[in-house]
PDB file of all heavy atoms in Angstrom:
ATOM      1  N   ILE B  22     -10.970  15.664   5.332  1.00 98.00           N
ATOM      2  CA  ILE B  22     -10.588  17.062   5.544  1.00 98.00           C
ATOM      3  C   ILE B  22     -10.498  17.794   4.212  1.00 98.00           C
ATOM      4  O   ILE B  22     -11.010  18.906   4.058  1.00 98.00           O
ATOM      5  CB  ILE B  22      -9.244  17.144   6.298  1.00 98.00           C
ATOM      6  CG1 ILE B  22      -9.419  16.636   7.733  1.00 98.00           C
ATOM      7  CG2 ILE B  22      -8.715  18.565   6.299  1.00 98.00           C
ATOM      8  CD1 ILE B  22      -8.140  16.659   8.554  1.00 98.00           C
ATOM      9  N   LEU B  23      -9.880  17.157   3.248  1.00 98.00           N
ATOM     10  CA  LEU B  23      -9.720  17.799   1.936  1.00 98.00           C
ATOM     11  C   LEU B  23     -11.072  18.099   1.307  1.00 98.00           C
ATOM     12  O   LEU B  23     -11.273  19.172   0.724  1.00 98.00           O
ATOM     13  CB  LEU B  23      -8.890  16.906   1.016  1.00 98.00           C
ATOM     14  CG  LEU B  23      -7.406  16.817   1.371  1.00 98.00           C
ATOM     15  CD1 LEU B  23      -6.708  15.805   0.489  1.00 98.00           C
ATOM     16  CD2 LEU B  23      -6.748  18.177   1.256  1.00 98.00           C
ATOM     17  N   VAL B  24     -11.971  17.154   1.420  1.00 97.00           N
ATOM     18  CA  VAL B  24     -13.307  17.365   0.868  1.00 97.00           C
ATOM     19  C   VAL B  24     -14.001  18.504   1.599  1.00 97.00           C
ATOM     20  O   VAL B  24     -14.622  19.378   0.980  1.00 97.00           O
ATOM     21  CB  VAL B  24     -14.154  16.079   0.982  1.00 97.00           C
ATOM     22  CG1 VAL B  24     -15.598  16.358   0.636  1.00 97.00           C
ATOM     23  CG2 VAL B  24     -13.584  14.998   0.074  1.00 97.00           C
ATOM     24  N   TYR B  25     -13.853  18.498   2.895  1.00 98.00           N
ATOM     25  CA  TYR B  25     -14.528  19.504   3.706  1.00 98.00           C
ATOM     26  C   TYR B  25     -14.004  20.911   3.430  1.00 98.00           C
ATOM     27  O   TYR B  25     -14.750  21.890   3.487  1.00 98.00           O
ATOM     28  CB  TYR B  25     -14.365  19.149   5.186  1.00 98.00           C
ATOM     29  CG  TYR B  25     -15.096  20.063   6.125  1.00 98.00           C
ATOM     30  CD1 TYR B  25     -16.483  20.120   6.135  1.00 98.00           C
ATOM     31  CD2 TYR B  25     -14.403  20.887   7.010  1.00 98.00           C
ATOM     32  CE1 TYR B  25     -17.161  20.954   7.001  1.00 98.00           C
ATOM     33  CE2 TYR B  25     -15.060  21.727   7.882  1.00 98.00           C
ATOM     34  CZ  TYR B  25     -16.445  21.758   7.870  1.00 98.00           C
ATOM     35  OH  TYR B  25     -17.107  22.597   8.728  1.00 98.00           O
ATOM     36  N   LEU B  26     -12.713  20.978   3.130  1.00 98.00           N
ATOM     37  CA  LEU B  26     -12.093  22.288   2.933  1.00 98.00           C
ATOM     38  C   LEU B  26     -12.091  22.751   1.486  1.00 98.00           C
ATOM     39  O   LEU B  26     -11.567  23.819   1.174  1.00 98.00           O
ATOM     40  CB  LEU B  26     -10.651  22.263   3.460  1.00 98.00           C
ATOM     41  CG  LEU B  26     -10.474  22.086   4.958  1.00 98.00           C
ATOM     42  CD1 LEU B  26      -9.009  22.071   5.311  1.00 98.00           C
ATOM     43  CD2 LEU B  26     -11.197  23.185   5.728  1.00 98.00           C
ATOM     44  N   ALA B  27     -12.640  21.945   0.619  1.00 96.00           N
ATOM     45  CA  ALA B  27     -12.591  22.308  -0.798  1.00 96.00           C
ATOM     46  C   ALA B  27     -13.506  23.483  -1.140  1.00 96.00           C
ATOM     47  O   ALA B  27     -13.086  24.419  -1.829  1.00 96.00           O
ATOM     48  CB  ALA B  27     -12.920  21.100  -1.666  1.00 96.00           C
ATOM     49  N   PRO B  28     -14.750  23.477  -0.683  1.00 95.00           N
ATOM     50  CA  PRO B  28     -15.656  24.564  -1.073  1.00 95.00           C
ATOM     51  C   PRO B  28     -15.236  25.917  -0.516  1.00 95.00           C
ATOM     52  O   PRO B  28     -15.245  26.913  -1.216  1.00 95.00           O
ATOM     53  CB  PRO B  28     -17.009  24.143  -0.481  1.00 95.00           C
ATOM     54  CG  PRO B  28     -16.880  22.684  -0.227  1.00 95.00           C
ATOM     55  CD  PRO B  28     -15.446  22.446   0.114  1.00 95.00           C
ATOM     56  N   ARG B  29     -14.818  25.914   0.753  1.00 95.00           N
ATOM     57  CA  ARG B  29     -14.392  27.195   1.329  1.00 95.00           C
ATOM     58  C   ARG B  29     -13.543  26.947   2.564  1.00 95.00           C
ATOM     59  O   ARG B  29     -13.598  25.891   3.162  1.00 95.00           O
ATOM     60  CB  ARG B  29     -15.602  28.044   1.689  1.00 95.00           C
ATOM     61  CG  ARG B  29     -16.521  27.411   2.720  1.00 95.00           C
ATOM     62  CD  ARG B  29     -17.859  28.166   2.730  1.00 95.00           C
ATOM     63  NE  ARG B  29     -18.654  27.894   3.916  1.00 95.00           N
ATOM     64  CZ  ARG B  29     -19.292  26.744   4.133  1.00 95.00           C
ATOM     65  NH1 ARG B  29     -19.171  25.755   3.278  1.00 95.00           N
ATOM     66  NH2 ARG B  29     -20.017  26.582   5.217  1.00 95.00           N
ATOM     67  N   GLU B  30     -12.746  27.931   2.902  1.00 97.00           N
ATOM     68  CA  GLU B  30     -11.841  27.794   4.044  1.00 97.00           C
ATOM     69  C   GLU B  30     -12.624  27.645   5.337  1.00 97.00           C
ATOM     70  O   GLU B  30     -13.735  28.154   5.460  1.00 97.00           O
ATOM     71  CB  GLU B  30     -10.889  28.989   4.125  1.00 97.00           C
ATOM     72  CG  GLU B  30     -11.583  30.322   4.148  1.00 97.00           C
ATOM     73  CD  GLU B  30     -10.578  31.476   4.163  1.00 97.00           C
ATOM     74  OE1 GLU B  30      -9.384  31.221   3.971  1.00 97.00           O
ATOM     75  OE2 GLU B  30     -11.006  32.618   4.380  1.00 97.00           O
ATOM     76  N   GLN B  31     -11.989  26.943   6.267  1.00 98.00           N
ATOM     77  CA  GLN B  31     -12.664  26.635   7.526  1.00 98.00           C
ATOM     78  C   GLN B  31     -11.697  26.700   8.691  1.00 98.00           C
ATOM     79  O   GLN B  31     -10.490  26.498   8.517  1.00 98.00           O
ATOM     80  CB  GLN B  31     -13.256  25.225   7.464  1.00 98.00           C
ATOM     81  CG  GLN B  31     -14.360  25.049   6.441  1.00 98.00           C
ATOM     82  CD  GLN B  31     -15.702  25.567   6.892  1.00 98.00           C
ATOM     83  OE1 GLN B  31     -15.836  26.061   8.017  1.00 98.00           O
ATOM     84  NE2 GLN B  31     -16.701  25.465   6.022  1.00 98.00           N
ATOM     85  N   THR B  32     -12.238  26.909   9.831  1.00 98.00           N
ATOM     86  CA  THR B  32     -11.474  26.942  11.066  1.00 98.00           C
ATOM     87  C   THR B  32     -11.133  25.532  11.524  1.00 98.00           C
ATOM     88  O   THR B  32     -11.850  24.585  11.215  1.00 98.00           O
ATOM     89  CB  THR B  32     -12.325  27.647  12.141  1.00 98.00           C
ATOM     90  OG1 THR B  32     -12.352  29.027  11.864  1.00 98.00           O
ATOM     91  CG2 THR B  32     -11.793  27.391  13.523  1.00 98.00           C
ATOM     92  N   VAL B  33     -10.058  25.394  12.253  1.00 98.00           N
ATOM     93  CA  VAL B  33      -9.691  24.087  12.800  1.00 98.00           C
ATOM     94  C   VAL B  33     -10.819  23.540  13.665  1.00 98.00           C
ATOM     95  O   VAL B  33     -11.181  22.370  13.563  1.00 98.00           O
ATOM     96  CB  VAL B  33      -8.388  24.187  13.617  1.00 98.00           C
ATOM     97  CG1 VAL B  33      -8.067  22.853  14.272  1.00 98.00           C
ATOM     98  CG2 VAL B  33      -7.242  24.638  12.738  1.00 98.00           C
ATOM     99  N   THR B  34     -11.374  24.401  14.465  1.00 98.00           N
ATOM    100  CA  THR B  34     -12.476  23.978  15.320  1.00 98.00           C
ATOM    101  C   THR B  34     -13.649  23.474  14.487  1.00 98.00           C
ATOM    102  O   THR B  34     -14.294  22.489  14.846  1.00 98.00           O
ATOM    103  CB  THR B  34     -12.942  25.144  16.200  1.00 98.00           C
ATOM    104  OG1 THR B  34     -11.823  25.629  16.953  1.00 98.00           O
ATOM    105  CG2 THR B  34     -14.022  24.686  17.165  1.00 98.00           C
ATOM    106  N   ALA B  35     -13.900  24.142  13.401  1.00 98.00           N
ATOM    107  CA  ALA B  35     -14.986  23.715  12.520  1.00 98.00           C
ATOM    108  C   ALA B  35     -14.723  22.305  11.996  1.00 98.00           C
ATOM    109  O   ALA B  35     -15.619  21.457  11.977  1.00 98.00           O
ATOM    110  CB  ALA B  35     -15.129  24.685  11.354  1.00 98.00           C
ATOM    111  N   ILE B  36     -13.482  22.058  11.608  1.00 98.00           N
ATOM    112  CA  ILE B  36     -13.127  20.727  11.117  1.00 98.00           C
ATOM    113  C   ILE B  36     -13.312  19.701  12.222  1.00 98.00           C
ATOM    114  O   ILE B  36     -13.860  18.618  12.005  1.00 98.00           O
ATOM    115  CB  ILE B  36     -11.665  20.711  10.622  1.00 98.00           C
ATOM    116  CG1 ILE B  36     -11.455  21.779   9.542  1.00 98.00           C
ATOM    117  CG2 ILE B  36     -11.296  19.348  10.090  1.00 98.00           C
ATOM    118  CD1 ILE B  36     -10.008  21.958   9.148  1.00 98.00           C
ATOM    119  N   VAL B  37     -12.833  20.064  13.395  1.00 98.00           N
ATOM    120  CA  VAL B  37     -12.944  19.150  14.537  1.00 98.00           C
ATOM    121  C   VAL B  37     -14.399  18.758  14.756  1.00 98.00           C
ATOM    122  O   VAL B  37     -14.719  17.576  14.897  1.00 98.00           O
ATOM    123  CB  VAL B  37     -12.366  19.800  15.809  1.00 98.00           C
ATOM    124  CG1 VAL B  37     -12.753  19.003  17.040  1.00 98.00           C
ATOM    125  CG2 VAL B  37     -10.854  19.909  15.697  1.00 98.00           C
ATOM    126  N   LYS B  38     -15.258  19.754  14.726  1.00 97.00           N
ATOM    127  CA  LYS B  38     -16.685  19.466  14.951  1.00 97.00           C
ATOM    128  C   LYS B  38     -17.267  18.662  13.790  1.00 97.00           C
ATOM    129  O   LYS B  38     -18.017  17.712  13.994  1.00 97.00           O
ATOM    130  CB  LYS B  38     -17.462  20.769  15.123  1.00 97.00           C
ATOM    131  CG  LYS B  38     -17.228  21.405  16.481  1.00 97.00           C
ATOM    132  CD  LYS B  38     -18.064  22.674  16.641  1.00 97.00           C
ATOM    133  CE  LYS B  38     -17.754  23.356  17.979  1.00 97.00           C
ATOM    134  NZ  LYS B  38     -18.342  24.721  18.070  1.00 97.00           N
ATOM    135  N   ALA B  39     -16.897  19.054  12.597  1.00 97.00           N
ATOM    136  CA  ALA B  39     -17.478  18.400  11.416  1.00 97.00           C
ATOM    137  C   ALA B  39     -17.075  16.937  11.337  1.00 97.00           C
ATOM    138  O   ALA B  39     -17.884  16.074  10.981  1.00 97.00           O
ATOM    139  CB  ALA B  39     -17.051  19.130  10.151  1.00 97.00           C
ATOM    140  N   LEU B  40     -15.840  16.658  11.669  1.00 97.00           N
ATOM    141  CA  LEU B  40     -15.356  15.274  11.545  1.00 97.00           C
ATOM    142  C   LEU B  40     -15.549  14.476  12.831  1.00 97.00           C
ATOM    143  O   LEU B  40     -15.412  13.253  12.830  1.00 97.00           O
ATOM    144  CB  LEU B  40     -13.873  15.265  11.175  1.00 97.00           C
ATOM    145  CG  LEU B  40     -13.469  15.905   9.856  1.00 97.00           C
ATOM    146  CD1 LEU B  40     -12.125  15.377   9.420  1.00 97.00           C
ATOM    147  CD2 LEU B  40     -14.508  15.648   8.779  1.00 97.00           C
ATOM    148  N   GLY B  41     -15.816  15.176  13.926  1.00 96.00           N
ATOM    149  CA  GLY B  41     -15.944  14.457  15.182  1.00 96.00           C
ATOM    150  C   GLY B  41     -14.643  13.820  15.630  1.00 96.00           C
ATOM    151  O   GLY B  41     -14.624  12.782  16.267  1.00 96.00           O
ATOM    152  N   ALA B  42     -13.539  14.458  15.289  1.00 96.00           N
ATOM    153  CA  ALA B  42     -12.235  13.927  15.686  1.00 96.00           C
ATOM    154  C   ALA B  42     -11.641  14.789  16.789  1.00 96.00           C
ATOM    155  O   ALA B  42     -12.150  15.862  17.099  1.00 96.00           O
ATOM    156  CB  ALA B  42     -11.299  13.903  14.475  1.00 96.00           C
ATOM    157  N   ALA B  43     -10.575  14.305  17.381  1.00 98.00           N
ATOM    158  CA  ALA B  43      -9.905  15.066  18.430  1.00 98.00           C
ATOM    159  C   ALA B  43      -9.104  16.205  17.812  1.00 98.00           C
ATOM    160  O   ALA B  43      -8.593  16.078  16.699  1.00 98.00           O
ATOM    161  CB  ALA B  43      -8.994  14.148  19.235  1.00 98.00           C
ATOM    162  N   GLN B  44      -9.001  17.284  18.547  1.00 98.00           N
ATOM    163  CA  GLN B  44      -8.315  18.463  18.002  1.00 98.00           C
ATOM    164  C   GLN B  44      -6.848  18.196  17.681  1.00 98.00           C
ATOM    165  O   GLN B  44      -6.388  18.574  16.586  1.00 98.00           O
ATOM    166  CB  GLN B  44      -8.462  19.647  18.974  1.00 98.00           C
ATOM    167  CG  GLN B  44      -7.744  20.890  18.513  1.00 98.00           C
ATOM    168  CD  GLN B  44      -6.370  21.000  19.168  1.00 98.00           C
ATOM    169  OE1 GLN B  44      -6.221  20.792  20.354  1.00 98.00           O
ATOM    170  NE2 GLN B  44      -5.368  21.327  18.364  1.00 98.00           N
TER     171      GLN B  44
END
Side-chain angles (χ1 to χ4, degrees):
Chain B
I22 292 179
L23 289 174
V24 170
Y25 184 66
L26 294 179
R29 61 195 196 287
E30 54 183 10
Q31 295 281 359
T32 287
V33 176
T34 304
I36 303 172
V37 167
K38 285 182 184 169
L40 298 201
Q44 178 263 315

